[in-house]
Amino acid sequence: MTDFFRDIPAVTYVGPNSDVEFGFRHYNKDEVILGKRMEDHLRFAVAWWHSFAWEGGDPFGGQTFLRPWHPQDSMKTARIKADVAFEMFRILGVPFYCWHDADVRPETGNFADNLKTLNEITDYMAEKQAQTGIRLLWGTANMFSHRRWMAGASTNPDPEVFAFAAATVKSCLDATHKMGGQNYVLWGGREGYETLLNTDLAQELDHMGRFLNMVVEYKHRIGFKGTILVEPKPQEPSKHQYDYDAATCFGFLQKYGLEKEVKLNLEQGHAILAGHSFEHEIATAAALGVFGSIDMNRNDYQSGWDTDQFPNNVPETALAYYEVLRAGGFTTGGTNFDAKVRRQSLDPADLILAHVGAMDTCARGLKAAAALLQSGELEAARKARYAGWATPQARQMLASGTLESITAEVLARGINPQPVSGRQERLENLWNRYV
Ligand code: XLS
Ligand code: NI
Ligand code: NI
């Protein structure tokens, strides 16, 4: 036990009218929605890196947080960090968490030592999982912070970096497997380029495709039952990242024969950076059969970079969960808060309350989405819009029509389509009745 969160009580459901600060107003984990407990719908996870490893720096200034586990350069402080993390998970009552290797163990700069400390600290964390019942949503390798990764990991022009990356992912997948992780994530922060002048784009993509195939082959060899997830992001830190968005990732997976093996972890802020909405990315992944999990952290709409803030906009989360529900909900995936408090938010209470607010925001979004889905009103309107396609002629046109046969039909039947309203505002008004 540490005293980092001293005086902070375990957070429980208090209902929307309570003025208790450390309470959930909307997240009532046992409440059943569409036949499933809210906890099982949302599958919340805390991100080790932003909540515990991040020291409060931004491009203009360094550390603002002075935590008892700083500096993070020894196994002693790594253990304190793990103790505090599990205390926070207990206070919040979250079922899951996520980590990168570099968040949980000290960096020694050499693979053998990093492997030893990773195994040691993940054994320690696995014990804590067993004691508390808190589970691992996903593990991942940080292949973007250390200078060795500056020109990429699997896409690095130097084969020694490719080798280091392969060994690193093996070590992280082994640890994730040992800890009963539900997924394994690969986010290609430096899998991209700064300038085409020094880059062989085609060769780099082939290397990345081969690398991901090695990961999938290894997963099957060790019997890891979790899902391998790729996380799209268009840019930052690379000027151009290969895993640009959901559609780009699907094309990549298909080219390298992985579209049945790998799914996507979609992040709200990354969707916005790609010029999409979050619900677009979820709907696209679902339509392509590769929807996996979400990182529910938003960006500031004013600054054009990944500010990783906790969600606080109910209508936005409602649109996202509506698509998650339409996709059939999460299986191995969940809602990871890949989010950090602001660098002025120094207090331990800030960390707790950031998550409480985010969990409530998501709960409200989920409830609104579920109520609208259950009412069937939006789905009925959508169905009505496509009703013409249910006729035998329309179905036959799709199944066996040719441009010649269809032209003959247009002439014979005098087809002359009459535009009908898309009813967008009416449907937006319908949405607003639910959020
Ligand atoms: C960064 C990414 C990262 C991944 C995990 O923008 O979101 O945090 O989720 O490597
Ligand atoms: Ni991100
Ligand atoms: Ni993320």
Side-chain angles (χ1 to χ4, degrees):
M1 284 288 280
T2 74
D3 64 354
F4 186 71
F5 292 117
R6 68 182 162 277
D7 305 331
I8 298 183
V11 184
T12 54
Y13 177 68
V14 293
N17 301 320
S18 165
D19 58 6
V20 169
E21 192 173 26
F22 290 88
F24 294 116
R25 278 158 185 76
H26 305 277
Y27 179 61
N28 183 9
K29 65 179 177 174
D30 292 317
E31 188 180 323
V32 173
I33 294 175
L34 300 177
K36 212 154 97 176
R37 290 169 64 248
M38 218 190 268
E39 181 178 74
D40 301 330
H41 270 290
L42 292 162
R43 294 169 61 85
F44 286 131
V46 170
W48 204 279
W49 49 106
H50 287 324
S51 287
F52 308 110
W54 182 58
E55 297 177 346
D58 73 5
F60 298 90
Q63 181 168 14
T64 57
F65 304 146
L66 304 171
R67 307 296 198 204
W69 55 92
H70 292 154
Q72 305 175 66
D73 57 359
S74 69
M75 280 305 279
K76 183 165 174 266
T77 52
R79 277 202 192 81
I80 298 172
K81 193 163 45 168
D83 292 343
V84 169
F86 275 85
E87 281 162 18
M88 185 166 100
F89 306 156
R90 181 190 55 79
I91 289 171
L92 291 171
V94 284
F96 293 106
Y97 71 105
C98 303
W99 53 256
H100 297 86
D101 51 354
D103 314 324
V104 296
R105 52 125 181 87
E107 174 67 53
T108 60
N110 116 9
F111 183 75
D113 289 341
N114 281 352
L115 179 63
K116 190 165 160 283
T117 49
L118 178 70
N119 288 338
E120 220 175 287
I121 195 73
T122 50
D123 280 342
Y124 187 66
M125 288 154 65
E127 266 170 48
K128 288 182 168 290
Q129 286 184 204
Q131 286 157 13
T132 58
I134 290 155
R135 291 174 293 160
L136 179 63
L137 187 64
W138 45 267
T140 188
N142 176 329
M143 300 198 293
F144 43 90
S145 294
H146 194 276
R147 65 193 291 277
R148 78 174 69 87
W149 310 118
M150 70 178 190
S154 70
T155 61
N156 202 291
D158 179 353
E160 292 205 343
V161 179
F162 183 102
F164 206 106
T168 299
V169 169
K170 179 184 179 298
S171 69
C172 290
L173 193 49
D174 285 340
T176 301
H177 185 38
K178 165 181 83 184
M179 300 165 96
Q182 311 247 322
N183 307 272
Y184 183 83
V185 166
L186 294 111
W187 168 61
R190 309 244 179 227
E191 307 291 34
Y193 61 84
E194 298 306 313
T195 171
L196 272 180
L197 298 180
N198 66 9
T199 302
D200 188 333
L201 186 147
Q203 185 173 357
E204 292 199 359
L205 282 169
D206 280 349
H207 293 181
M208 196 162 95
R210 182 66 200 115
F211 189 89
L212 196 51
N213 266 287
M214 287 182 195
V215 174
V216 168
E217 286 159 18
Y218 184 67
K219 160 198 153 150
H220 289 303
R221 266 203 302 284
I222 61 175
F224 176 64
K225 296 280 175 272
T227 311
I228 303 289
L229 299 170
V230 161
E231 184 174 323
K233 185 176 183 182
Q235 74 269 331
E236 197 204 43
S238 302
K239 175 177 161 46
H240 186 109
Q241 286 178 200
Y242 294 131
D243 291 334
Y244 193 93
D245 61 1
T248 311
C249 283
F250 181 75
F252 171 83
L253 294 175
Q254 214 174 23
K255 171 159 189 204
Y256 295 99
L258 292 166
E259 75 278 13
K260 299 261 181 301
E261 291 282 356
V262 176
K263 294 191 168 15
L264 302 182
N265 180 42
L266 301 165
E267 179 164 317
Q268 202 266 3
H270 298 181
I272 306 301
L273 284 177
H276 300 307
S277 66
F278 194 28
E279 57 273 20
H280 165 87
E281 287 291 84
I282 298 171
T284 301
L288 295 168
V290 290
F291 174 65
S293 198
I294 62 175
D295 278 2
M296 188 51 116
N297 44 289
R298 69 192 168 94
N299 288 347
D300 187 306
Y301 285 106
Q302 247 175 300
S303 50
W305 54 294
D306 199 1
T307 56
D308 287 330
Q309 291 175 247
F310 285 89
N312 68 355
N313 182 323
V314 175
E316 273 180 9
T317 59
L319 285 163
Y321 283 112
Y322 194 81
E323 295 306 325
V324 172
L325 290 174
R326 284 188 77 220
F330 296 122
T331 51
T332 61
T335 303
N336 173 41
F337 294 119
D338 190 354
K340 50 194 186 225
V341 292
R342 301 302 83 192
R343 73 196 289 268
Q344 297 178 53
S345 303
L346 303 181
D347 299 344
D350 295 326
L351 257 181
I352 301 289
L353 292 173
H355 285 87
V356 170
M359 289 162 78
D360 267 346
T361 301
C362 291
R364 282 177 74 186
L366 174 76
K367 281 202 256 189
L372 181 53
L373 194 62
Q374 199 159 29
S375 83
E377 287 183 80
L378 196 60
E379 294 317 302
R382 197 193 309 266
K383 208 170 158 207
R385 190 159 183 246
Y386 291 86
W389 286 100
T391 64
Q393 286 124 315
R395 281 216 293 269
Q396 200 204 335
M397 171 169 73
L398 264 195
S400 56
T402 63
L403 292 189
E404 298 92 310
S405 69
I406 295 171
T407 304
E409 277 285 310
V410 171
L411 289 169
R413 288 174 37 214
I415 290 179
N416 185 18
Q418 297 305 308
V420 294
S421 173
R423 306 169 75 207
Q424 179 168 338
E425 296 78 9
R426 289 166 74 178
L427 298 176
E428 284 167 352
N429 293 354
L430 173 64
W431 251 106
N432 284 335
R433 297 217 304 272
Y434 286 84
V435 295

